[in-house]
Amino acid sequence: MNKFFPFVFLFGSFCFGQSQEEIELPLRNLFAAMKNADPVLLKSVFAENAILQTITEKGVKTENLTDFVATVSKMAKGDLDERITIESMNTDGNLVSVFTTYSFYYKGTFSHCGANSFQLVKQSGEWKIQYVIDTRRKDNCKEIK
C-alpha cells in the first residue's frame, strides 16, 4: 500500500467527497491488467476516446489505445510489472489529476523508471482514464519494491 495513503485518503474524502479507493481503482486495475496480460480489464479502465502519450527525446509520441491493448494481450502473465507511488492527487468534481512516479520491470528485470500524469473523468458513476502522459528513463532511478 502506498505510504501516502492515510494523508491522501483523508484529503480526498473530506475535501472533495471522493474516496481514495474509488479514484485509485482504474489505476490499480490498469497495472493489474498489464501484469496479468488481461485485455478486457485493461480496456475497461479507459474512457472511449482516451489519449496515451509518452515524452521521448524526439518529442511527444501518441499511442493508439487499441494497439496498446493488443500489445499487452500478447504478453505472458507477469511480463509487465509497473509499480507506482502516488505523489499527488487533485480533484474538482468529475475531474481528477493524479501524478505518480514508477519503476517498470520487464520479465522480472528492472527496465526503466519515470513519471505518469493521469487525468481521470467520472462517467456514468465510474472513474475512467481519459489521458495519460509519461516519461521514461534509465538513469537516476529509484526502484519501487
Side-chain angles (χ1 to χ4, degrees):
M1 181 61 68
N2 184 322
K3 64 184 175 184
F4 298 109
F5 176 76
F7 171 76
V8 177
F9 176 77
L10 290 171
F11 187 72
S13 294
F14 293 121
C15 293
F16 304 111
Q18 303 295 321
S19 81
Q20 175 76 18
E21 291 176 357
E22 179 186 14
I23 293 170
E24 281 188 24
L25 184 61
L27 301 180
R28 287 193 312 269
N29 285 343
L30 165 63
F31 300 118
M34 288 171 58
K35 191 170 188 175
N36 293 308
D38 182 341
V40 174
L41 181 59
L42 184 62
K43 190 166 171 60
S44 76
V45 302
F46 289 100
E48 185 177 320
N49 56 349
I51 299 168
L52 291 73
Q53 295 185 314
T54 297
I55 300 170
T56 69
E57 290 180 8
K58 297 179 182 180
V60 177
K61 175 186 169 194
T62 301
E63 185 165 8
N64 179 284
L65 179 58
T66 302
D67 293 344
F68 177 65
V69 171
T71 298
V72 170
S73 69
K74 292 176 188 172
M75 297 292 165
K77 188 174 182 177
D79 279 358
L80 308 175
D81 183 10
E82 186 165 334
R83 302 172 191 173
I84 66 167
T85 299
I86 294 177
E87 301 290 336
S88 67
M89 182 180 295
N90 297 299
T91 306
D92 185 25
N94 291 333
L95 173 67
V96 175
S97 177
V98 181
F99 187 85
T100 73
T101 53
Y102 73 87
S103 294
F104 187 83
Y105 298 79
Y106 180 68
K107 295 185 178 184
T109 302
F110 178 75
S111 172
H112 61 276
C113 68
N116 299 309
S117 177
F118 293 96
Q119 304 300 309
L120 290 88
V121 295
K122 197 165 196 177
Q123 298 176 333
S124 302
E126 289 186 293
W127 288 103
K128 299 285 184 175
I129 300 168
Q130 175 62 48
Y131 179 67
V132 60
I133 189 165
D134 66 74
T135 62
R136 298 176 189 178
R137 64 180 186 283
K138 292 185 179 280
D139 59 340
N140 299 317
C141 292
K142 181 178 175 184
E143 289 187 54
I144 300 169
K145 299 291 180 178

Short mmCIF file of all heavy atoms in Angstrom, two decimals, residues 13-52:
data_model
loop_
_atom_site.label_atom_id
_atom_site.label_comp_id
_atom_site.label_asym_id
_atom_site.label_seq_id
_atom_site.Cartn_x
_atom_site.Cartn_y
_atom_site.Cartn_z
N SER A 13 -11.18 12.45 0.72
CA SER A 13 -12.52 12.17 1.23
C SER A 13 -13.18 13.41 1.81
O SER A 13 -14.34 13.68 1.53
CB SER A 13 -12.45 11.10 2.32
OG SER A 13 -12.05 9.88 1.75
N PHE A 14 -12.46 14.14 2.65
CA PHE A 14 -13.08 15.27 3.33
C PHE A 14 -13.18 16.51 2.45
O PHE A 14 -14.13 17.25 2.52
CB PHE A 14 -12.33 15.59 4.62
CG PHE A 14 -12.48 14.50 5.64
CD1 PHE A 14 -11.37 13.84 6.13
CD2 PHE A 14 -13.73 14.11 6.09
CE1 PHE A 14 -11.51 12.83 7.07
CE2 PHE A 14 -13.88 13.10 7.02
CZ PHE A 14 -12.77 12.45 7.51
N CYS A 15 -12.17 16.72 1.61
CA CYS A 15 -12.17 17.95 0.80
C CYS A 15 -13.02 17.81 -0.45
O CYS A 15 -13.55 18.79 -0.93
CB CYS A 15 -10.74 18.32 0.41
SG CYS A 15 -9.74 18.80 1.82
N PHE A 16 -13.12 16.62 -0.98
CA PHE A 16 -13.75 16.50 -2.29
C PHE A 16 -14.90 15.51 -2.33
O PHE A 16 -15.53 15.34 -3.35
CB PHE A 16 -12.71 16.11 -3.35
CG PHE A 16 -11.56 17.07 -3.41
CD1 PHE A 16 -10.30 16.69 -2.99
CD2 PHE A 16 -11.75 18.35 -3.87
CE1 PHE A 16 -9.25 17.58 -3.04
CE2 PHE A 16 -10.69 19.25 -3.93
CZ PHE A 16 -9.45 18.86 -3.51
N GLY A 17 -15.16 14.80 -1.25
CA GLY A 17 -16.26 13.86 -1.22
C GLY A 17 -16.03 12.62 -2.06
O GLY A 17 -16.97 11.90 -2.36
N GLN A 18 -14.82 12.37 -2.45
CA GLN A 18 -14.48 11.19 -3.24
C GLN A 18 -13.63 10.28 -2.37
O GLN A 18 -12.75 10.75 -1.66
CB GLN A 18 -13.67 11.57 -4.49
CG GLN A 18 -14.34 12.57 -5.38
CD GLN A 18 -15.61 12.04 -6.00
OE1 GLN A 18 -15.70 10.89 -6.38
NE2 GLN A 18 -16.61 12.88 -6.09
N SER A 19 -13.82 8.97 -2.48
CA SER A 19 -12.97 8.07 -1.72
C SER A 19 -11.70 7.79 -2.50
O SER A 19 -11.71 7.70 -3.74
CB SER A 19 -13.70 6.76 -1.41
OG SER A 19 -13.67 5.89 -2.51
N GLN A 20 -10.61 7.68 -1.78
CA GLN A 20 -9.31 7.37 -2.37
C GLN A 20 -9.40 6.08 -3.17
O GLN A 20 -8.89 6.00 -4.28
CB GLN A 20 -8.27 7.24 -1.24
CG GLN A 20 -6.91 6.81 -1.69
CD GLN A 20 -6.14 7.91 -2.36
OE1 GLN A 20 -6.47 9.07 -2.22
NE2 GLN A 20 -5.12 7.54 -3.08
N GLU A 21 -10.02 5.07 -2.60
CA GLU A 21 -10.11 3.77 -3.27
C GLU A 21 -10.88 3.86 -4.59
O GLU A 21 -10.50 3.25 -5.57
CB GLU A 21 -10.76 2.74 -2.35
CG GLU A 21 -9.88 2.38 -1.17
CD GLU A 21 -10.55 1.44 -0.20
OE1 GLU A 21 -11.73 1.09 -0.40
OE2 GLU A 21 -9.88 1.05 0.77
N GLU A 22 -11.95 4.62 -4.59
CA GLU A 22 -12.77 4.78 -5.80
C GLU A 22 -11.96 5.44 -6.93
O GLU A 22 -12.01 5.02 -8.08
CB GLU A 22 -14.00 5.63 -5.46
CG GLU A 22 -14.92 5.88 -6.63
CD GLU A 22 -16.05 6.85 -6.27
OE1 GLU A 22 -15.99 7.52 -5.22
OE2 GLU A 22 -16.98 6.93 -7.08
N ILE A 23 -11.20 6.45 -6.58
CA ILE A 23 -10.40 7.17 -7.57
C ILE A 23 -9.23 6.33 -8.05
O ILE A 23 -8.89 6.33 -9.23
CB ILE A 23 -9.93 8.52 -7.00
CG1 ILE A 23 -11.13 9.45 -6.78
CG2 ILE A 23 -8.91 9.18 -7.93
CD1 ILE A 23 -10.81 10.71 -6.00
N GLU A 24 -8.60 5.59 -7.12
CA GLU A 24 -7.44 4.77 -7.48
C GLU A 24 -7.79 3.50 -8.25
O GLU A 24 -6.92 2.91 -8.90
CB GLU A 24 -6.67 4.37 -6.22
CG GLU A 24 -5.79 5.44 -5.68
CD GLU A 24 -4.91 4.91 -4.55
OE1 GLU A 24 -4.66 3.69 -4.47
OE2 GLU A 24 -4.49 5.73 -3.73
N LEU A 25 -9.04 3.06 -8.19
CA LEU A 25 -9.42 1.79 -8.79
C LEU A 25 -8.99 1.64 -10.25
O LEU A 25 -8.40 0.62 -10.61
CB LEU A 25 -10.92 1.55 -8.63
CG LEU A 25 -11.42 0.19 -9.14
CD1 LEU A 25 -10.76 -0.95 -8.39
CD2 LEU A 25 -12.94 0.11 -9.02
N PRO A 26 -9.25 2.61 -11.14
CA PRO A 26 -8.81 2.41 -12.52
C PRO A 26 -7.28 2.33 -12.65
O PRO A 26 -6.77 1.62 -13.53
CB PRO A 26 -9.36 3.61 -13.28
CG PRO A 26 -9.86 4.56 -12.26
CD PRO A 26 -10.02 3.83 -10.98
N LEU A 27 -6.54 3.01 -11.78
CA LEU A 27 -5.09 2.93 -11.83
C LEU A 27 -4.62 1.55 -11.37
O LEU A 27 -3.78 0.92 -12.03
CB LEU A 27 -4.45 4.02 -10.98
CG LEU A 27 -4.81 5.46 -11.35
CD1 LEU A 27 -4.11 6.44 -10.43
CD2 LEU A 27 -4.49 5.75 -12.80
N ARG A 28 -5.15 1.08 -10.27
CA ARG A 28 -4.79 -0.27 -9.79
C ARG A 28 -5.15 -1.32 -10.84
O ARG A 28 -4.38 -2.25 -11.11
CB ARG A 28 -5.49 -0.58 -8.47
CG ARG A 28 -4.92 0.18 -7.28
CD ARG A 28 -5.41 -0.38 -5.95
NE ARG A 28 -6.84 -0.59 -5.89
CZ ARG A 28 -7.73 0.29 -5.46
NH1 ARG A 28 -7.34 1.48 -5.08
NH2 ARG A 28 -9.01 -0.01 -5.43
N ASN A 29 -6.34 -1.16 -11.45
CA ASN A 29 -6.75 -2.12 -12.47
C ASN A 29 -5.90 -2.04 -13.73
O ASN A 29 -5.65 -3.06 -14.38
CB ASN A 29 -8.23 -1.93 -12.81
CG ASN A 29 -9.14 -2.47 -11.73
OD1 ASN A 29 -8.72 -3.25 -10.88
ND2 ASN A 29 -10.39 -2.05 -11.74
N LEU A 30 -5.45 -0.85 -14.10
CA LEU A 30 -4.56 -0.69 -15.25
C LEU A 30 -3.31 -1.54 -15.06
O LEU A 30 -2.94 -2.33 -15.93
CB LEU A 30 -4.18 0.78 -15.44
CG LEU A 30 -3.00 1.07 -16.37
CD1 LEU A 30 -3.28 0.64 -17.79
CD2 LEU A 30 -2.64 2.56 -16.31
N PHE A 31 -2.65 -1.39 -13.91
CA PHE A 31 -1.40 -2.09 -13.70
C PHE A 31 -1.61 -3.58 -13.43
O PHE A 31 -0.78 -4.40 -13.81
CB PHE A 31 -0.58 -1.39 -12.62
CG PHE A 31 -0.27 0.03 -13.03
CD1 PHE A 31 -0.73 1.10 -12.29
CD2 PHE A 31 0.44 0.29 -14.19
CE1 PHE A 31 -0.47 2.41 -12.68
CE2 PHE A 31 0.70 1.60 -14.60
CZ PHE A 31 0.25 2.65 -13.84
N ALA A 32 -2.74 -3.95 -12.83
CA ALA A 32 -3.08 -5.36 -12.68
C ALA A 32 -3.33 -6.00 -14.04
O ALA A 32 -2.88 -7.12 -14.31
CB ALA A 32 -4.31 -5.53 -11.78
N ALA A 33 -4.02 -5.28 -14.91
CA ALA A 33 -4.30 -5.79 -16.26
C ALA A 33 -3.00 -5.96 -17.06
O ALA A 33 -2.85 -6.95 -17.79
CB ALA A 33 -5.25 -4.85 -17.00
N MET A 34 -2.10 -5.02 -16.92
CA MET A 34 -0.81 -5.15 -17.61
C MET A 34 -0.05 -6.37 -17.09
O MET A 34 0.46 -7.17 -17.87
CB MET A 34 0.02 -3.87 -17.43
CG MET A 34 -0.50 -2.69 -18.23
SD MET A 34 0.32 -1.12 -17.83
CE MET A 34 2.03 -1.48 -18.19
N LYS A 35 0.01 -6.50 -15.77
CA LYS A 35 0.76 -7.61 -15.16
C LYS A 35 0.14 -8.96 -15.51
O LYS A 35 0.85 -9.95 -15.69
CB LYS A 35 0.81 -7.42 -13.65
CG LYS A 35 1.76 -8.36 -12.95
CD LYS A 35 1.95 -7.97 -11.51
CE LYS A 35 3.06 -8.80 -10.88
NZ LYS A 35 3.37 -8.36 -9.52
N ASN A 36 -1.20 -9.00 -15.62
CA ASN A 36 -1.89 -10.26 -15.92
C ASN A 36 -2.21 -10.46 -17.39
O ASN A 36 -2.89 -11.42 -17.75
CB ASN A 36 -3.17 -10.35 -15.08
CG ASN A 36 -2.86 -10.48 -13.61
OD1 ASN A 36 -2.09 -11.33 -13.21
ND2 ASN A 36 -3.45 -9.61 -12.81
N ALA A 37 -1.74 -9.53 -18.24
CA ALA A 37 -1.99 -9.60 -19.69
C ALA A 37 -3.49 -9.79 -19.96
O ALA A 37 -3.90 -10.64 -20.74
CB ALA A 37 -1.16 -10.71 -20.34
N ASP A 38 -4.30 -8.96 -19.30
CA ASP A 38 -5.75 -9.07 -19.35
C ASP A 38 -6.34 -7.93 -20.20
O ASP A 38 -6.56 -6.82 -19.69
CB ASP A 38 -6.30 -9.02 -17.93
CG ASP A 38 -7.81 -9.17 -17.84
OD1 ASP A 38 -8.51 -8.97 -18.86
OD2 ASP A 38 -8.29 -9.48 -16.73
N PRO A 39 -6.63 -8.18 -21.48
CA PRO A 39 -7.11 -7.10 -22.35
C PRO A 39 -8.49 -6.58 -21.97
O PRO A 39 -8.77 -5.40 -22.18
CB PRO A 39 -7.12 -7.74 -23.74
CG PRO A 39 -7.21 -9.21 -23.49
CD PRO A 39 -6.50 -9.46 -22.19
N VAL A 40 -9.35 -7.40 -21.41
CA VAL A 40 -10.70 -6.97 -21.05
C VAL A 40 -10.62 -5.97 -19.89
O VAL A 40 -11.22 -4.88 -19.95
CB VAL A 40 -11.60 -8.17 -20.69
CG1 VAL A 40 -12.95 -7.71 -20.18
CG2 VAL A 40 -11.76 -9.09 -21.90
N LEU A 41 -9.88 -6.31 -18.84
CA LEU A 41 -9.72 -5.39 -17.72
C LEU A 41 -8.99 -4.13 -18.17
O LEU A 41 -9.38 -3.02 -17.78
CB LEU A 41 -8.95 -6.07 -16.57
CG LEU A 41 -8.73 -5.22 -15.32
CD1 LEU A 41 -10.06 -4.76 -14.71
CD2 LEU A 41 -7.89 -5.99 -14.30
N LEU A 42 -7.98 -4.29 -18.99
CA LEU A 42 -7.21 -3.14 -19.47
C LEU A 42 -8.09 -2.14 -20.20
O LEU A 42 -8.08 -0.95 -19.90
CB LEU A 42 -6.06 -3.61 -20.37
CG LEU A 42 -5.11 -2.53 -20.87
CD1 LEU A 42 -4.39 -1.85 -19.72
CD2 LEU A 42 -4.10 -3.14 -21.83
N LYS A 43 -8.87 -2.62 -21.13
CA LYS A 43 -9.75 -1.73 -21.90
C LYS A 43 -10.79 -1.05 -21.01
O LYS A 43 -11.16 0.11 -21.24
CB LYS A 43 -10.42 -2.49 -23.03
CG LYS A 43 -11.14 -1.61 -24.02
CD LYS A 43 -11.48 -2.39 -25.27
CE LYS A 43 -12.37 -1.66 -26.21
NZ LYS A 43 -11.94 -0.43 -26.75
N SER A 44 -11.21 -1.73 -19.95
CA SER A 44 -12.28 -1.20 -19.10
C SER A 44 -11.86 0.02 -18.29
O SER A 44 -12.73 0.76 -17.82
CB SER A 44 -12.77 -2.29 -18.14
OG SER A 44 -11.84 -2.50 -17.08
N VAL A 45 -10.57 0.26 -18.10
CA VAL A 45 -10.13 1.39 -17.26
C VAL A 45 -10.09 2.70 -18.03
O VAL A 45 -9.99 3.77 -17.42
CB VAL A 45 -8.76 1.13 -16.59
CG1 VAL A 45 -8.82 -0.13 -15.75
CG2 VAL A 45 -7.63 1.10 -17.59
N PHE A 46 -10.16 2.64 -19.34
CA PHE A 46 -10.01 3.83 -20.17
C PHE A 46 -11.36 4.35 -20.67
O PHE A 46 -12.26 3.58 -20.98
CB PHE A 46 -9.13 3.53 -21.39
CG PHE A 46 -7.69 3.33 -21.04
CD1 PHE A 46 -7.16 2.06 -20.94
CD2 PHE A 46 -6.85 4.42 -20.82
CE1 PHE A 46 -5.83 1.86 -20.61
CE2 PHE A 46 -5.52 4.23 -20.50
CZ PHE A 46 -5.00 2.95 -20.39
N ALA A 47 -11.45 5.67 -20.78
CA ALA A 47 -12.58 6.29 -21.46
C ALA A 47 -12.50 5.91 -22.94
O ALA A 47 -11.43 5.58 -23.45
CB ALA A 47 -12.53 7.81 -21.29
N GLU A 48 -13.63 5.95 -23.61
CA GLU A 48 -13.71 5.51 -25.01
C GLU A 48 -12.71 6.23 -25.91
O GLU A 48 -12.10 5.63 -26.79
CB GLU A 48 -15.13 5.72 -25.53
CG GLU A 48 -15.33 5.17 -26.93
CD GLU A 48 -16.76 5.33 -27.38
OE1 GLU A 48 -17.68 5.13 -26.57
OE2 GLU A 48 -16.96 5.67 -28.57
N ASN A 49 -12.51 7.51 -25.71
CA ASN A 49 -11.61 8.29 -26.58
C ASN A 49 -10.34 8.71 -25.84
O ASN A 49 -9.81 9.80 -26.04
CB ASN A 49 -12.34 9.50 -27.14
CG ASN A 49 -12.93 10.38 -26.05
OD1 ASN A 49 -12.97 10.01 -24.88
ND2 ASN A 49 -13.39 11.55 -26.43
N ALA A 50 -9.83 7.81 -24.98
CA ALA A 50 -8.64 8.10 -24.17
C ALA A 50 -7.42 8.37 -25.05
O ALA A 50 -7.30 7.86 -26.16
CB ALA A 50 -8.35 6.94 -23.23
N ILE A 51 -6.52 9.18 -24.50
CA ILE A 51 -5.27 9.54 -25.19
C ILE A 51 -4.11 9.03 -24.34
O ILE A 51 -4.06 9.28 -23.14
CB ILE A 51 -5.17 11.07 -25.38
CG1 ILE A 51 -6.33 11.56 -26.23
CG2 ILE A 51 -3.83 11.45 -25.97
CD1 ILE A 51 -6.49 13.07 -26.25
N LEU A 52 -3.17 8.32 -24.98
CA LEU A 52 -1.99 7.79 -24.32
C LEU A 52 -0.77 8.40 -24.99
O LEU A 52 -0.62 8.28 -26.23
CB LEU A 52 -1.91 6.27 -24.44
CG LEU A 52 -2.93 5.44 -23.68
CD1 LEU A 52 -4.30 5.51 -24.30
CD2 LEU A 52 -2.46 4.00 -23.62
#
